[in-house]
Amino acid sequence: MFMSEQLDTIIVGGGFSGIAAARLLHKAGKKFMLLEARERLGGRTHTRYFTDGKYVDLGGQWIGPTQDHMYSLAKEHNVAWYETYNEGKNILDLNKTIKTYTGLIPKMDVASLINIDLLLKRLESLAKQIPLEAPWLAPKAKEWDSISLEAFVRKYSYTAPCYKVVRAGLETVYACEMNEVSLLHALFYIKSGTNLNNLLSIKDGAQQHRLTGGMQTLAERIAESFSASIRLNSPVMRITQTDEGVAVEGSDYAYPARNIIVAIPPVLISNIEFTPALPLHKTQLIDKMSMGIVGKVLGVYEKPFWRDKGYSGQVVADEHGPFQTLFDSSPADSKYGVLLAFCIADRARDFFSKDQDTRKNLALQSFARYFGETAAKPIEYVDHCWAEEAWSKGCYAGLYPTGAWTNFQGVLAKTTGHIHWAGTETSDVWYGYIEGAVRAGERAANEILNKY
């Protein structure tokens, strides 16, 4: 399809960021087209339905306090939310020994518990010094940006158990090995998500609520009112910018527009041919950023049987197991049970290098070790590695390695002529989360609306 009539805006990417931008443009009466490479909306959220109506969230699935835009959108579009199950005994799998505990901090030797508390408080104290709009202006920005999160955690982990537990927790937060991000980025991420306790917690934290019907339900509901302005299966190949606007081309379409919003993961931007080329600082930063690597492994059961045994479904595991953490991911009505395991960073690279039968056997052995033989007999098993998705190349978000924040500062979100930038990686608040994606999409749309 080749159009001669100029649109007001083209939006590239049908995740929550692109959809949030489209929603505001639609409300303002602007003529736009949203182009999505996949056959579905939702981006890094994806709700998979089984033939009997059961469903699991393969991508982002939680919302929590201070994620005001997500709660507002859910309310506006009549999508209910419910409490993540958080009752009973949690499990710590440390040094091939299983222990149970309640609350956020596991049962361990006193020295390690004190060490964990002091280390996390130290991270929290430093994060408070980060200016969200300009992390590179933090008091010790260059020092913090010159070392990795791994170096910091090792320096202040005085016992091996402390290091192992903190490592499992932080790998789950960042979706990477701790040596893949700078300390400055880690601190910015904490401040962006309010505080570290918020990022780690279910109760009063980022994992407090889930949406009934799955997260993708909300994306689809938002998009219903402008579905005629959405084109799926439409990867963008070229963006040409002139003084008058932009021309956007794919294999079988071309659209002229006054503006464009690019709302895709940074690692995918280099797949698009830009004429003229993007500014050097922007392309160099994009080249340096990598995506987190995370897989979700899910067992679906007739009921959440672990609750009857007094378990919460939550597990924290050291490197001896294939997964960093497990959660109860059952639906609101508990008509069936879902165990969710996070397989992240090097563990994901190892786990997803194996064939599916081997993965399934490893996963169910792990589930059974924690919750008994019933856990080895799910009615459905599914696993999904986001690094294998061509239109994501990873999750949860793009990572800033050492030197990236101080060398390139805020260039990722900086407008390039008629090109505006969205995606969770361009958000100061809730970077890496769906809330951040929504805020970024709304900010990009408002940049355009404020032009006129």
Side-chain angles (χ1 to χ4, degrees):
M1 180 184 294
F2 292 84
M3 289 186 62
S4 57
E5 181 184 358
Q6 189 181 51
L7 297 167
D8 181 78
T9 303
I10 295 288
I11 302 169
V12 182
F16 267 91
S17 206
I19 291 170
R23 171 178 165 270
L24 292 191
L25 294 175
H26 177 68
K27 285 189 171 186
K30 299 298 181 182
K31 191 169 185 178
F32 66 90
M33 181 64 68
L34 188 155
L35 302 172
E36 166 56 45
R38 294 180 174 91
E39 74 289 349
R40 62 171 182 82
L41 296 174
R44 285 169 265 181
T45 67
H46 184 194
T47 304
R48 175 174 170 178
Y49 281 85
F50 300 100
T51 53
D52 58 3
K54 295 182 178 70
Y55 67 88
V56 294
D57 272 315
L58 299 180
Q61 67 178 59
W62 284 299
I63 58 176
T66 76
Q67 297 186 0
D68 303 330
H69 293 229
M70 286 298 290
Y71 285 105
S72 177
L73 286 171
K75 185 175 181 180
E76 178 184 336
H77 294 89
N78 298 312
V79 177
W81 58 84
Y82 64 97
E83 300 279 339
T84 300
Y85 190 77
N86 190 32
E87 300 175 17
K89 298 176 291 185
N90 305 328
I91 290 174
L92 173 65
D93 185 358
L94 181 64
N95 297 325
K96 300 183 179 180
T97 300
I98 290 177
K99 295 181 179 180
T100 61
Y101 67 99
T102 56
L104 185 61
I105 304 298
K107 285 184 179 178
M108 299 168 62
D109 63 281
V110 175
S112 294
L113 284 175
I114 293 172
N115 195 175
I116 291 172
D117 183 58
L118 290 175
L119 198 161
L120 296 183
K121 284 180 177 176
R122 187 181 289 268
L123 278 170
E124 186 67 66
S125 176
L126 297 183
K128 289 178 180 178
Q129 302 177 47
I130 303 295
L132 281 181
E133 309 79 19
W136 55 91
L137 296 180
K140 296 184 178 180
K142 288 192 175 181
E143 177 184 333
W144 295 339
D145 208 27
S146 69
I147 63 170
S148 67
L149 175 61
E150 167 77 15
F152 179 88
V153 171
R154 281 200 177 274
K155 180 177 180 179
Y156 292 103
S157 291
Y158 304 119
T159 74
C162 168
Y163 173 77
K164 289 184 175 186
V165 170
V166 170
R167 177 185 174 188
L170 294 183
E171 284 176 355
T172 304
V173 168
Y174 297 102
C176 66
E177 293 292 318
M178 293 191 295
N179 62 10
E180 296 180 270
V181 290
S182 76
L183 175 60
L184 181 61
H185 181 68
L187 298 174
F188 160 75
Y189 199 97
I190 291 168
K191 180 73 172 290
S192 179
T194 310
N195 56 60
L196 187 54
N197 192 61
N198 200 3
L199 298 185
L200 291 169
S201 297
I202 292 178
K203 181 176 173 53
D204 299 325
Q207 288 72 231
Q208 180 162 349
H209 291 126
R210 296 186 61 211
L211 300 188
T212 301
M215 186 59 72
Q216 195 177 345
T217 300
L218 178 57
E220 292 169 349
R221 291 264 185 96
I222 297 170
E224 282 177 0
S225 63
F226 49 84
S227 59
S229 298
I230 297 173
R231 179 176 169 135
L232 302 176
N233 298 302
S234 300
V236 170
M237 299 170 62
R238 282 177 293 279
I239 296 174
T240 303
Q241 183 169 202
T242 66
D243 291 341
E244 290 72 36
V246 295
V248 182
E249 298 176 63
S251 61
D252 60 347
Y253 66 84
Y255 294 104
R258 298 171 73 187
N259 307 283
I260 187 168
I261 296 173
V262 179
I264 58 178
V267 295
L268 298 183
I269 294 172
S270 57
N271 292 348
I272 300 173
E273 178 187 334
F274 288 86
T275 304
L278 294 175
L280 185 59
H281 269 60
K282 192 181 288 281
T283 58
Q284 285 189 321
L285 174 59
I286 290 166
D287 288 343
K288 287 183 179 296
M289 293 180 72
S290 61
M291 290 293 286
I293 297 180
V294 58
K296 295 181 79 172
V297 180
L298 303 112
V300 182
Y301 303 88
E302 294 288 354
K303 66 174 186 176
F305 63 87
W306 50 91
R307 298 180 186 177
D308 297 336
K309 299 180 180 181
Y311 289 102
S312 66
Q314 296 167 44
V315 179
V316 175
D318 69 11
E319 71 279 2
H320 295 295
F323 312 124
Q324 279 89 345
T325 49
L326 275 74
F327 295 89
D328 182 327
S329 193
S330 307
D333 55 16
S334 303
K335 282 189 175 179
Y336 56 95
V338 180
L339 280 175
L340 159 65
F342 278 95
C343 185
I344 291 169
D346 283 348
R347 294 195 225 189
R349 294 180 183 101
D350 178 62
F351 185 78
F352 287 98
S353 69
K354 307 178 191 306
D355 63 69
Q356 187 173 32
D357 286 342
T358 302
R359 297 198 305 269
K360 181 177 179 179
N361 288 334
L362 283 171
L364 298 185
Q365 286 173 21
S366 181
F367 290 2
R369 182 164 179 264
Y370 301 135
F371 303 111
E373 283 306 309
T374 305
K377 302 170 184 176
I379 54 177
E380 298 282 358
Y381 169 86
V382 60
D383 59 35
H384 186 78
C385 181
W386 282 88
E388 295 175 350
E389 280 216 11
W391 303 114
S392 293
K393 291 190 176 179
C395 248
Y396 321 119
L399 307 172
Y400 278 68
T402 55
W405 270 119
T406 49
N407 288 336
F408 300 100
Q409 302 180 4
V411 300
L412 190 64
K414 188 176 181 180
T415 303
T416 313
H418 302 291
I419 306 174
H420 300 258
W421 304 90
T424 189
E425 291 85 0
T426 67
S427 180
D428 297 336
V429 178
W430 284 108
Y431 179 110
Y433 287 76
I434 307 169
E435 172 78 9
V438 168
R439 288 172 180 255
E442 292 176 351
R443 185 253 311 141
N446 282 320
E447 287 173 354
I448 291 170
L449 294 174
N450 290 337
K451 284 183 175 182
Y452 313 115

